[in-house]
Amino acid sequence: MQYVLAVDEQKSFSKAAKLFDVDQSTLSQQIKLFEARLGVEIFDRSYKPLLTTPEGRKVINKIKEIIEKVEQLIGPFKAAQQQPVTLPSPSSDTK
């Protein structure tokens, strides 16, 4: 899903691939597989710069919603992991 967002933002498979340090062909193949699974063409590859199809725009909007929800879900857990652990001080109360 991050690949799709990057291609949409960059309007280029090669520029998006550079962001992830992967081959352009690898990124393109992954997006084609994603499109095939959805049964939707996300990008119209016949234009330069690349165009996002109307169906692709819907997919991208849903991807953004999903990522936002996942970030909301894991946010509190990340924050808890980043807080330093404080151990209780030994009790000086001796009876």
Side-chain angles (χ1 to χ4, degrees):
M1 290 191 297
Q2 294 288 355
Y3 286 175
V4 171
L5 294 180
V7 170
D8 181 56
E9 184 178 301
Q10 298 295 317
K11 303 296 183 208
S12 164
F13 282 93
S14 59
K15 288 179 184 176
K18 286 179 186 177
L19 293 175
F20 292 99
D21 196 29
V22 296
D23 292 332
Q24 181 269 327
S25 62
T26 300
L27 183 131
S28 182
Q29 288 172 356
Q30 291 297 313
I31 290 176
K32 276 198 174 284
L33 286 171
F34 189 60
E35 289 174 320
R37 290 185 81 184
L38 295 176
V40 170
E41 184 179 13
I42 299 171
F43 301 107
D44 185 338
R45 292 160 174 82
S46 66
Y47 289 92
K48 299 275 180 183
L50 202 65
L51 290 180
T52 303
T53 65
E55 297 86 7
R57 180 60 43 212
K58 291 176 188 175
V59 170
I60 288 165
N61 289 339
K62 285 293 182 187
I63 289 171
K64 289 177 180 179
E65 288 177 25
I66 291 167
I67 289 172
E68 184 178 321
K69 298 261 186 224
V70 169
E71 287 174 353
Q72 289 173 358
L73 173 70
I74 64 174
F77 298 104
K78 277 187 172 180
Q81 289 176 351
Q82 293 175 354
Q83 293 179 356
V85 176
T86 55
L87 299 174
S89 59
S91 174
S92 59
D93 188 328
T94 55
K95 292 186 178 182

